[in-house]
Amino acid sequence: MSTLRSIPAARPTSGAPGASPRSANGPLGVFDSGLGGLTVVRALRAALPHEDIVYLGDTARVPYGTKGPATVTRYAMTCANHLVARGVKAIVIACNTVSAVAPERLRVELDLPVIGVIDPGARAAAEATRTFKVGVLATAGTIASGAYPRALSACSTRIETYGQAAPLLVPLAEEGWTRGEVPRLAARRYLEPLARAGVDVVVLGCTHYPLLLDVIESEAKALLGNHVRMIDSARAVAREVAAFLENRSLLRDAARGEGSVKLLVTDLPKSFDATASRFLGSNPEGAEQVDL
Ligand code: DGL
């Protein structure tokens, strides 16, 4: 008998008691340490085509995953405050590292809903596993936080979680080095301990990793067999954001037409723009550099 049980959806809150009402036609704010969060923006655009999105990539301070929780929380606050100043109606933390260490602080300090990526990804993994052995590839910060084992055991007490820090995958994704021998060898090295544990599901517990999905998935299949499932939390997050906005009557008026994407970065936008247009499957207007 399965011990799967449902856990509350994403725990978005309206921040401080008496949170001020936001305009449903305001944009959604999304942020990450760099370009990995664009994987979440792509899923949000598919699920919520009428929403305007303001995306902030903190490219001047990437990576977050090698830094301590206090530093990551401080960086996350500056990103979130910048988005609040732009009038966003809710914030999606498109970064596992921030979602692992800072969401409660953001919820307490900001006067608007905050949605992270870890619980939706954990729920999708719990639904996919048959052996109840789940592997998680993530940054060192996310693994050290214990956020995934906590979220997964909240879904099922039978699940054993095997975490593996995979820090080299972040600069490879930022560089656009997503094919060939170098990412293949790095992926294999990080997957080997998960293969020894016999997991049947691998969570891509960092929003940069889906940029390397082809390489990671083919190495995982070579090591673990074709039945292994990859979990990218982007789609699960987008579904939860859509449900949340609908429940709170915060969906943008569809009569206003297709939503826009505004891209902001904290360092030179050039290489970011190339990846952004490749990744969003459209030609968004170039990224604007901002000072936090
Ligand atoms: N995108 C971040 C995450 O999901 C990782 C990149 C970084 O280390 O800053 O954890």
Side-chain angles (χ1 to χ4, degrees):
M1 191 65 170
S2 163
T3 53
L4 269 184
R5 62 176 188 257
S6 62
I7 57 177
R11 298 198 310 268
T13 72
S14 45
S20 53
R22 301 266 152 190
S23 159
N25 290 323
L28 265 179
V30 182
F31 76 93
D32 178 36
S33 55
L35 51 75
L38 292 172
T39 60
V40 176
V41 173
R42 179 163 70 176
L44 285 169
R45 298 255 291 159
L48 292 160
H50 302 293
E51 294 299 323
D52 287 331
I53 295 174
V54 181
Y55 178 84
L56 172 59
D58 192 5
T59 47
R61 300 188 289 199
V62 66
Y64 283 8
T66 52
K67 299 183 172 84
T71 305
V72 172
T73 303
R74 186 158 43 85
Y75 290 175
M77 280 308 303
T78 58
C79 291
N81 281 327
H82 186 88
L83 291 171
V84 170
R86 285 177 178 260
V88 300
K89 62 185 171 189
I91 287 189
V92 179
I93 308 172
C95 174
N96 285 262
T97 309
V98 174
S99 302
V101 302
E104 297 311 332
R105 173 80 187 278
L106 264 58
R107 287 181 183 122
V108 167
E109 301 231 352
L110 302 175
D111 192 21
L112 81 176
V114 175
I115 300 165
V117 288
I118 288 186
D119 287 341
R123 271 190 282 275
E127 278 164 27
T129 184
R130 296 290 166 265
T131 61
F132 294 94
K133 290 182 180 207
V134 173
V136 178
L137 290 179
T139 66
T142 299
I143 297 295
S145 74
Y148 271 103
R150 273 197 301 281
L152 282 157
S153 53
C155 297
S156 166
T157 50
R158 287 177 65 188
I159 292 180
E160 292 170 59
T161 305
Y162 298 87
Q164 174 62 48
L168 279 184
L169 301 184
V170 171
L172 287 171
E174 286 281 329
E175 279 290 315
W177 200 345
T178 55
R179 283 169 202 278
E181 203 62 358
V182 173
R184 196 181 69 71
L185 287 173
R188 174 167 282 255
R189 179 63 72 89
Y190 291 137
L191 286 163
E192 275 165 357
L194 303 183
R196 282 196 291 278
V199 305
D200 69 340
V201 166
V202 176
V203 179
L204 302 180
C206 168
T207 51
H208 281 63
Y209 299 170
L211 292 156
L212 294 147
L213 174 66
D214 291 350
V215 164
I216 298 172
E217 188 166 30
S218 74
E219 287 307 304
K221 286 189 167 159
L223 288 167
L224 281 151
N226 280 334
H227 64 284
V228 68
R229 294 272 310 274
M230 300 287 116
I231 301 293
D232 163 6
S233 50
R235 255 184 303 169
V237 175
R239 271 199 305 275
E240 294 201 6
V241 173
F244 175 74
L245 294 181
E246 193 170 357
N247 291 340
R248 302 286 177 105
S249 304
L250 278 174
L251 287 170
R252 180 170 174 266
D253 182 0
R256 291 179 173 231
E258 198 185 330
S260 62
V261 179
K262 171 83 187 155
L263 301 176
L264 308 172
V265 285
T266 53
D267 203 347
L268 297 176
K270 205 157 169 271
S271 55
F272 185 92
D273 282 343
T275 311
S277 43
R278 178 164 59 87
F279 212 69
L280 294 180
S282 58
N283 286 320
E285 153 196 341
E288 179 190 331
Q289 189 171 349
V290 295
D291 191 0
L292 301 183

mmCIF file of all heavy atoms in Angstrom, residues 184-226:
data_model
loop_
_atom_site.group_PDB
_atom_site.id
_atom_site.type_symbol
_atom_site.label_atom_id
_atom_site.label_comp_id
_atom_site.label_asym_id
_atom_site.label_seq_id
_atom_site.Cartn_x
_atom_site.Cartn_y
_atom_site.Cartn_z
ATOM 1 N N ARG A 184 29.339 15.570 -20.653
ATOM 2 C CA ARG A 184 28.994 14.151 -20.520
ATOM 3 C C ARG A 184 29.779 13.520 -19.363
ATOM 4 O O ARG A 184 29.226 12.818 -18.518
ATOM 5 C CB ARG A 184 29.300 13.417 -21.839
ATOM 6 C CG ARG A 184 28.645 12.055 -21.951
ATOM 7 C CD ARG A 184 28.995 11.364 -23.271
ATOM 8 N NE ARG A 184 30.396 10.976 -23.334
ATOM 9 C CZ ARG A 184 30.940 9.986 -22.630
ATOM 10 N NH1 ARG A 184 30.198 9.271 -21.803
ATOM 11 N NH2 ARG A 184 32.226 9.707 -22.735
ATOM 12 N N LEU A 185 31.090 13.794 -19.328
ATOM 13 C CA LEU A 185 31.910 13.213 -18.254
ATOM 14 C C LEU A 185 31.512 13.766 -16.886
ATOM 15 O O LEU A 185 31.478 13.040 -15.898
ATOM 16 C CB LEU A 185 33.401 13.487 -18.516
ATOM 17 C CG LEU A 185 34.013 12.658 -19.640
ATOM 18 C CD1 LEU A 185 35.445 13.115 -19.931
ATOM 19 C CD2 LEU A 185 33.995 11.173 -19.298
ATOM 20 N N ALA A 186 31.225 15.066 -16.840
ATOM 21 C CA ALA A 186 30.816 15.660 -15.557
ATOM 22 C C ALA A 186 29.511 15.025 -15.087
ATOM 23 O O ALA A 186 29.373 14.613 -13.930
ATOM 24 C CB ALA A 186 30.660 17.176 -15.711
ATOM 25 N N ALA A 187 28.546 14.903 -16.007
ATOM 26 C CA ALA A 187 27.259 14.313 -15.636
ATOM 27 C C ALA A 187 27.451 12.883 -15.151
ATOM 28 O O ALA A 187 26.878 12.473 -14.134
ATOM 29 C CB ALA A 187 26.303 14.355 -16.825
ATOM 30 N N ARG A 188 28.285 12.116 -15.867
ATOM 31 C CA ARG A 188 28.491 10.710 -15.481
ATOM 32 C C ARG A 188 29.059 10.625 -14.068
ATOM 33 O O ARG A 188 28.593 9.840 -13.239
ATOM 34 C CB ARG A 188 29.435 10.031 -16.481
ATOM 35 C CG ARG A 188 29.827 8.618 -16.070
ATOM 36 C CD ARG A 188 30.491 7.884 -17.204
ATOM 37 N NE ARG A 188 29.511 7.402 -18.159
ATOM 38 C CZ ARG A 188 29.131 6.120 -18.256
ATOM 39 N NH1 ARG A 188 29.658 5.216 -17.476
ATOM 40 N NH2 ARG A 188 28.236 5.747 -19.132
ATOM 41 N N ARG A 189 30.071 11.451 -13.777
ATOM 42 C CA ARG A 189 30.705 11.411 -12.458
ATOM 43 C C ARG A 189 29.676 11.696 -11.352
ATOM 44 O O ARG A 189 29.661 11.050 -10.323
ATOM 45 C CB ARG A 189 31.840 12.433 -12.420
ATOM 46 C CG ARG A 189 32.567 12.505 -11.106
ATOM 47 C CD ARG A 189 33.265 11.185 -10.773
ATOM 48 N NE ARG A 189 34.427 10.974 -11.625
ATOM 49 C CZ ARG A 189 35.657 11.404 -11.332
ATOM 50 N NH1 ARG A 189 35.867 12.040 -10.214
ATOM 51 N NH2 ARG A 189 36.655 11.173 -12.151
ATOM 52 N N TYR A 190 28.782 12.669 -11.608
ATOM 53 C CA TYR A 190 27.795 13.021 -10.574
ATOM 54 C C TYR A 190 26.688 11.969 -10.450
ATOM 55 O O TYR A 190 26.090 11.805 -9.383
ATOM 56 C CB TYR A 190 27.167 14.383 -10.897
ATOM 57 C CG TYR A 190 28.125 15.546 -10.756
ATOM 58 C CD1 TYR A 190 28.160 16.558 -11.710
ATOM 59 C CD2 TYR A 190 28.979 15.647 -9.656
ATOM 60 C CE1 TYR A 190 29.026 17.641 -11.579
ATOM 61 C CE2 TYR A 190 29.842 16.727 -9.518
ATOM 62 C CZ TYR A 190 29.863 17.716 -10.484
ATOM 63 O OH TYR A 190 30.716 18.787 -10.342
ATOM 64 N N LEU A 191 26.416 11.256 -11.553
ATOM 65 C CA LEU A 191 25.326 10.269 -11.512
ATOM 66 C C LEU A 191 25.765 8.936 -10.921
ATOM 67 O O LEU A 191 24.922 8.152 -10.455
ATOM 68 C CB LEU A 191 24.775 10.052 -12.929
ATOM 69 C CG LEU A 191 23.913 11.193 -13.473
ATOM 70 C CD1 LEU A 191 23.773 11.088 -14.986
ATOM 71 C CD2 LEU A 191 22.527 11.198 -12.825
ATOM 72 N N GLU A 192 27.083 8.654 -10.935
ATOM 73 C CA GLU A 192 27.543 7.323 -10.482
ATOM 74 C C GLU A 192 27.078 6.960 -9.069
ATOM 75 O O GLU A 192 26.576 5.851 -8.848
ATOM 76 C CB GLU A 192 29.065 7.218 -10.621
ATOM 77 C CG GLU A 192 29.458 6.796 -12.029
ATOM 78 C CD GLU A 192 30.928 7.010 -12.367
ATOM 79 O OE1 GLU A 192 31.671 7.557 -11.509
ATOM 80 O OE2 GLU A 192 31.326 6.640 -13.486
ATOM 81 N N PRO A 193 27.206 7.872 -8.082
ATOM 82 C CA PRO A 193 26.730 7.498 -6.737
ATOM 83 C C PRO A 193 25.217 7.218 -6.704
ATOM 84 O O PRO A 193 24.762 6.357 -5.954
ATOM 85 C CB PRO A 193 27.066 8.730 -5.880
ATOM 86 C CG PRO A 193 28.082 9.491 -6.659
ATOM 87 C CD PRO A 193 27.831 9.199 -8.106
ATOM 88 N N LEU A 194 24.461 7.941 -7.543
ATOM 89 C CA LEU A 194 23.013 7.714 -7.580
ATOM 90 C C LEU A 194 22.714 6.352 -8.206
ATOM 91 O O LEU A 194 21.785 5.646 -7.795
ATOM 92 C CB LEU A 194 22.312 8.828 -8.370
ATOM 93 C CG LEU A 194 22.545 10.259 -7.867
ATOM 94 C CD1 LEU A 194 21.729 11.251 -8.682
ATOM 95 C CD2 LEU A 194 22.180 10.379 -6.382
ATOM 96 N N ALA A 195 23.550 5.970 -9.191
ATOM 97 C CA ALA A 195 23.373 4.650 -9.820
ATOM 98 C C ALA A 195 23.690 3.545 -8.803
ATOM 99 O O ALA A 195 22.978 2.545 -8.728
ATOM 100 C CB ALA A 195 24.284 4.531 -11.041
ATOM 101 N N ARG A 196 24.728 3.743 -7.996
ATOM 102 C CA ARG A 196 25.061 2.725 -6.969
ATOM 103 C C ARG A 196 23.907 2.577 -5.976
ATOM 104 O O ARG A 196 23.649 1.496 -5.470
ATOM 105 C CB ARG A 196 26.355 3.097 -6.240
ATOM 106 C CG ARG A 196 27.602 2.785 -7.071
ATOM 107 C CD ARG A 196 28.858 2.796 -6.205
ATOM 108 N NE ARG A 196 29.211 4.124 -5.724
ATOM 109 C CZ ARG A 196 29.887 5.024 -6.432
ATOM 110 N NH1 ARG A 196 30.306 4.725 -7.654
ATOM 111 N NH2 ARG A 196 30.150 6.223 -5.934
ATOM 112 N N ALA A 197 23.204 3.668 -5.722
ATOM 113 C CA ALA A 197 22.075 3.605 -4.770
ATOM 114 C C ALA A 197 20.834 2.976 -5.416
ATOM 115 O O ALA A 197 19.896 2.608 -4.721
ATOM 116 C CB ALA A 197 21.742 5.009 -4.275
ATOM 117 N N GLY A 198 20.823 2.879 -6.757
ATOM 118 C CA GLY A 198 19.694 2.239 -7.445
ATOM 119 C C GLY A 198 18.439 3.092 -7.532
ATOM 120 O O GLY A 198 17.322 2.568 -7.486
ATOM 121 N N VAL A 199 18.603 4.405 -7.690
ATOM 122 C CA VAL A 199 17.417 5.268 -7.791
ATOM 123 C C VAL A 199 16.696 5.020 -9.123
ATOM 124 O O VAL A 199 17.326 4.572 -10.086
ATOM 125 C CB VAL A 199 17.794 6.768 -7.663
ATOM 126 C CG1 VAL A 199 18.573 7.021 -6.378
ATOM 127 C CG2 VAL A 199 18.592 7.245 -8.875
ATOM 128 N N ASP A 200 15.397 5.279 -9.176
ATOM 129 C CA ASP A 200 14.692 5.180 -10.460
ATOM 130 C C ASP A 200 14.199 6.543 -10.943
ATOM 131 O O ASP A 200 13.595 6.649 -12.007
ATOM 132 C CB ASP A 200 13.537 4.167 -10.395
ATOM 133 C CG ASP A 200 12.381 4.620 -9.517
ATOM 134 O OD1 ASP A 200 12.586 5.511 -8.659
ATOM 135 O OD2 ASP A 200 11.274 4.079 -9.682
ATOM 136 N N VAL A 201 14.453 7.579 -10.139
ATOM 137 C CA VAL A 201 14.053 8.941 -10.508
ATOM 138 C C VAL A 201 15.220 9.863 -10.170
ATOM 139 O O VAL A 201 15.836 9.714 -9.108
ATOM 140 C CB VAL A 201 12.798 9.368 -9.707
ATOM 141 C CG1 VAL A 201 12.562 10.857 -9.791
ATOM 142 C CG2 VAL A 201 11.570 8.612 -10.197
ATOM 143 N N VAL A 202 15.535 10.768 -11.077
ATOM 144 C CA VAL A 202 16.567 11.769 -10.797
ATOM 145 C C VAL A 202 15.924 13.152 -10.906
ATOM 146 O O VAL A 202 15.418 13.535 -11.975
ATOM 147 C CB VAL A 202 17.754 11.672 -11.787
ATOM 148 C CG1 VAL A 202 18.761 12.797 -11.533
ATOM 149 C CG2 VAL A 202 18.442 10.311 -11.673
ATOM 150 N N VAL A 203 15.918 13.887 -9.804
ATOM 151 C CA VAL A 203 15.379 15.248 -9.810
ATOM 152 C C VAL A 203 16.479 16.202 -10.254
ATOM 153 O O VAL A 203 17.581 16.186 -9.685
ATOM 154 C CB VAL A 203 14.897 15.660 -8.398
ATOM 155 C CG1 VAL A 203 14.353 17.091 -8.414
ATOM 156 C CG2 VAL A 203 13.852 14.694 -7.867
ATOM 157 N N LEU A 204 16.187 17.007 -11.266
ATOM 158 C CA LEU A 204 17.121 18.065 -11.655
ATOM 159 C C LEU A 204 16.849 19.221 -10.693
ATOM 160 O O LEU A 204 16.033 20.094 -10.956
ATOM 161 C CB LEU A 204 16.908 18.465 -13.112
ATOM 162 C CG LEU A 204 17.056 17.317 -14.122
ATOM 163 C CD1 LEU A 204 16.838 17.805 -15.539
ATOM 164 C CD2 LEU A 204 18.419 16.644 -14.000
ATOM 165 N N GLY A 205 17.531 19.164 -9.539
ATOM 166 C CA GLY A 205 17.222 20.063 -8.430
ATOM 167 C C GLY A 205 17.947 21.388 -8.512
ATOM 168 O O GLY A 205 18.304 21.974 -7.486
ATOM 169 N N CYS A 206 18.170 21.852 -9.720
ATOM 170 C CA CYS A 206 18.784 23.164 -9.965
ATOM 171 C C CYS A 206 18.218 23.615 -11.295
ATOM 172 O O CYS A 206 18.190 22.829 -12.253
ATOM 173 C CB CYS A 206 20.304 23.021 -10.047
ATOM 174 S SG CYS A 206 21.136 24.492 -10.681
ATOM 175 N N THR A 207 17.750 24.850 -11.349
ATOM 176 C CA THR A 207 17.069 25.278 -12.573
ATOM 177 C C THR A 207 18.018 25.421 -13.766
ATOM 178 O O THR A 207 17.564 25.556 -14.899
ATOM 179 C CB THR A 207 16.304 26.601 -12.341
ATOM 180 O OG1 THR A 207 17.187 27.552 -11.750
ATOM 181 C CG2 THR A 207 15.117 26.384 -11.435
ATOM 182 N N HIS A 208 19.333 25.381 -13.527
ATOM 183 C CA HIS A 208 20.277 25.386 -14.648
ATOM 184 C C HIS A 208 20.368 24.013 -15.332
ATOM 185 O O HIS A 208 20.716 23.933 -16.508
ATOM 186 C CB HIS A 208 21.682 25.757 -14.170
ATOM 187 C CG HIS A 208 21.895 27.217 -13.944
ATOM 188 N ND1 HIS A 208 21.215 27.943 -13.004
ATOM 189 C CD2 HIS A 208 22.750 28.097 -14.542
ATOM 190 C CE1 HIS A 208 21.622 29.207 -13.028
ATOM 191 N NE2 HIS A 208 22.561 29.322 -13.955
ATOM 192 N N TYR A 209 20.109 22.946 -14.604
ATOM 193 C CA TYR A 209 20.384 21.612 -15.145
ATOM 194 C C TYR A 209 19.517 21.214 -16.340
ATOM 195 O O TYR A 209 19.995 20.477 -17.213
ATOM 196 C CB TYR A 209 20.288 20.545 -14.048
ATOM 197 C CG TYR A 209 21.272 20.707 -12.901
ATOM 198 C CD1 TYR A 209 21.147 19.936 -11.748
ATOM 199 C CD2 TYR A 209 22.328 21.606 -12.958
ATOM 200 C CE1 TYR A 209 22.032 20.060 -10.687
ATOM 201 C CE2 TYR A 209 23.211 21.754 -11.898
ATOM 202 C CZ TYR A 209 23.054 20.986 -10.763
ATOM 203 O OH TYR A 209 23.923 21.116 -9.716
ATOM 204 N N PRO A 210 18.256 21.680 -16.433
ATOM 205 C CA PRO A 210 17.480 21.307 -17.628
ATOM 206 C C PRO A 210 18.130 21.782 -18.936
ATOM 207 O O PRO A 210 17.863 21.232 -19.999
ATOM 208 C CB PRO A 210 16.126 21.995 -17.400
ATOM 209 C CG PRO A 210 16.016 22.066 -15.912
ATOM 210 C CD PRO A 210 17.414 22.340 -15.423
ATOM 211 N N LEU A 211 19.027 22.765 -18.865
ATOM 212 C CA LEU A 211 19.760 23.177 -20.068
ATOM 213 C C LEU A 211 20.666 22.045 -20.547
ATOM 214 O O LEU A 211 21.069 21.999 -21.705
ATOM 215 C CB LEU A 211 20.597 24.431 -19.781
ATOM 216 C CG LEU A 211 19.787 25.703 -19.515
ATOM 217 C CD1 LEU A 211 20.570 26.711 -18.696
ATOM 218 C CD2 LEU A 211 19.355 26.340 -20.821
ATOM 219 N N LEU A 212 21.013 21.122 -19.634
ATOM 220 C CA LEU A 212 21.880 19.982 -19.956
ATOM 221 C C LEU A 212 21.085 18.675 -19.964
ATOM 222 O O LEU A 212 21.662 17.596 -19.822
ATOM 223 C CB LEU A 212 23.000 19.873 -18.904
ATOM 224 C CG LEU A 212 24.002 21.020 -18.871
ATOM 225 C CD1 LEU A 212 24.504 21.262 -17.465
ATOM 226 C CD2 LEU A 212 25.176 20.721 -19.786
ATOM 227 N N LEU A 213 19.765 18.792 -20.123
ATOM 228 C CA LEU A 213 18.909 17.608 -19.975
ATOM 229 C C LEU A 213 19.338 16.446 -20.873
ATOM 230 O O LEU A 213 19.411 15.305 -20.416
ATOM 231 C CB LEU A 213 17.443 17.974 -20.261
ATOM 232 C CG LEU A 213 16.474 16.787 -20.270
ATOM 233 C CD1 LEU A 213 16.367 16.176 -18.878
ATOM 234 C CD2 LEU A 213 15.096 17.203 -20.762
ATOM 235 N N ASP A 214 19.632 16.722 -22.146
ATOM 236 C CA ASP A 214 19.946 15.617 -23.074
ATOM 237 C C ASP A 214 21.121 14.803 -22.570
ATOM 238 O O ASP A 214 21.092 13.571 -22.557
ATOM 239 C CB ASP A 214 20.267 16.159 -24.473
ATOM 240 C CG ASP A 214 19.025 16.732 -25.140
ATOM 241 O OD1 ASP A 214 17.929 16.525 -24.583
ATOM 242 O OD2 ASP A 214 19.164 17.391 -26.185
ATOM 243 N N VAL A 215 22.179 15.508 -22.157
ATOM 244 C CA VAL A 215 23.393 14.829 -21.691
ATOM 245 C C VAL A 215 23.112 14.070 -20.391
ATOM 246 O O VAL A 215 23.480 12.903 -20.232
ATOM 247 C CB VAL A 215 24.524 15.868 -21.488
ATOM 248 C CG1 VAL A 215 25.652 15.301 -20.667
ATOM 249 C CG2 VAL A 215 25.037 16.350 -22.830
ATOM 250 N N ILE A 216 22.448 14.726 -19.450
ATOM 251 C CA ILE A 216 22.206 14.087 -18.150
ATOM 252 C C ILE A 216 21.314 12.860 -18.334
ATOM 253 O O ILE A 216 21.572 11.783 -17.787
ATOM 254 C CB ILE A 216 21.555 15.085 -17.155
ATOM 255 C CG1 ILE A 216 22.488 16.265 -16.881
ATOM 256 C CG2 ILE A 216 21.211 14.383 -15.839
ATOM 257 C CD1 ILE A 216 21.858 17.393 -16.059
ATOM 258 N N GLU A 217 20.281 13.001 -19.155
ATOM 259 C CA GLU A 217 19.355 11.884 -19.326
ATOM 260 C C GLU A 217 20.029 10.709 -20.016
ATOM 261 O O GLU A 217 19.858 9.560 -19.610
ATOM 262 C CB GLU A 217 18.130 12.342 -20.133
ATOM 263 C CG GLU A 217 17.055 11.274 -20.171
ATOM 264 C CD GLU A 217 15.721 11.802 -20.667
ATOM 265 O OE1 GLU A 217 15.717 12.750 -21.492
ATOM 266 O OE2 GLU A 217 14.692 11.265 -20.231
ATOM 267 N N SER A 218 20.856 10.978 -21.030
ATOM 268 C CA SER A 218 21.458 9.825 -21.717
ATOM 269 C C SER A 218 22.487 9.136 -20.826
ATOM 270 O O SER A 218 22.582 7.906 -20.810
ATOM 271 C CB SER A 218 22.006 10.194 -23.091
ATOM 272 O OG SER A 218 23.184 10.929 -22.948
ATOM 273 N N GLU A 219 23.208 9.886 -20.000
ATOM 274 C CA GLU A 219 24.143 9.242 -19.061
ATOM 275 C C GLU A 219 23.378 8.474 -17.989
ATOM 276 O O GLU A 219 23.777 7.378 -17.586
ATOM 277 C CB GLU A 219 25.052 10.287 -18.405
ATOM 278 C CG GLU A 219 26.103 10.845 -19.329
ATOM 279 C CD GLU A 219 26.941 9.762 -20.013
ATOM 280 O OE1 GLU A 219 27.543 8.935 -19.295
ATOM 281 O OE2 GLU A 219 26.965 9.728 -21.256
ATOM 282 N N ALA A 220 22.277 9.033 -17.528
ATOM 283 C CA ALA A 220 21.482 8.339 -16.495
ATOM 284 C C ALA A 220 20.930 7.033 -17.056
ATOM 285 O O ALA A 220 20.948 5.998 -16.375
ATOM 286 C CB ALA A 220 20.347 9.240 -16.018
ATOM 287 N N LYS A 221 20.482 7.048 -18.306
ATOM 288 C CA LYS A 221 19.951 5.817 -18.906
ATOM 289 C C LYS A 221 21.060 4.783 -19.074
ATOM 290 O O LYS A 221 20.842 3.592 -18.841
ATOM 291 C CB LYS A 221 19.281 6.123 -20.244
ATOM 292 C CG LYS A 221 17.939 6.806 -20.024
ATOM 293 C CD LYS A 221 17.134 6.931 -21.282
ATOM 294 C CE LYS A 221 15.706 7.331 -20.880
ATOM 295 N NZ LYS A 221 14.967 7.932 -21.957
ATOM 296 N N ALA A 222 22.258 5.241 -19.465
ATOM 297 C CA ALA A 222 23.382 4.307 -19.629
ATOM 298 C C ALA A 222 23.738 3.658 -18.294
ATOM 299 O O ALA A 222 24.077 2.480 -18.229
ATOM 300 C CB ALA A 222 24.589 5.050 -20.214
ATOM 301 N N LEU A 223 23.646 4.423 -17.216
ATOM 302 C CA LEU A 223 24.050 3.895 -15.908
ATOM 303 C C LEU A 223 22.927 3.137 -15.202
ATOM 304 O O LEU A 223 23.176 2.179 -14.458
ATOM 305 C CB LEU A 223 24.496 5.044 -14.989
ATOM 306 C CG LEU A 223 25.841 5.707 -15.301
ATOM 307 C CD1 LEU A 223 25.975 7.001 -14.509
ATOM 308 C CD2 LEU A 223 26.993 4.777 -14.942
ATOM 309 N N LEU A 224 21.699 3.593 -15.396
ATOM 310 C CA LEU A 224 20.596 3.071 -14.571
ATOM 311 C C LEU A 224 19.547 2.286 -15.362
ATOM 312 O O LEU A 224 18.700 1.621 -14.767
ATOM 313 C CB LEU A 224 19.882 4.241 -13.880
ATOM 314 C CG LEU A 224 20.600 4.770 -12.646
ATOM 315 C CD1 LEU A 224 20.321 6.233 -12.428
ATOM 316 C CD2 LEU A 224 20.167 3.981 -11.421
ATOM 317 N N GLY A 225 19.578 2.407 -16.678
ATOM 318 C CA GLY A 225 18.569 1.724 -17.497
ATOM 319 C C GLY A 225 17.554 2.724 -18.033
ATOM 320 O O GLY A 225 17.407 3.832 -17.497
ATOM 321 N N ASN A 226 16.847 2.269 -19.077
ATOM 322 C CA ASN A 226 15.927 3.176 -19.775
ATOM 323 C C ASN A 226 14.727 3.592 -18.946
ATOM 324 O O ASN A 226 14.021 4.538 -19.303
ATOM 325 C CB ASN A 226 15.420 2.522 -21.071
ATOM 326 C CG ASN A 226 16.466 2.644 -22.161
ATOM 327 O OD1 ASN A 226 17.296 3.563 -22.137
ATOM 328 N ND2 ASN A 226 16.462 1.698 -23.086
#
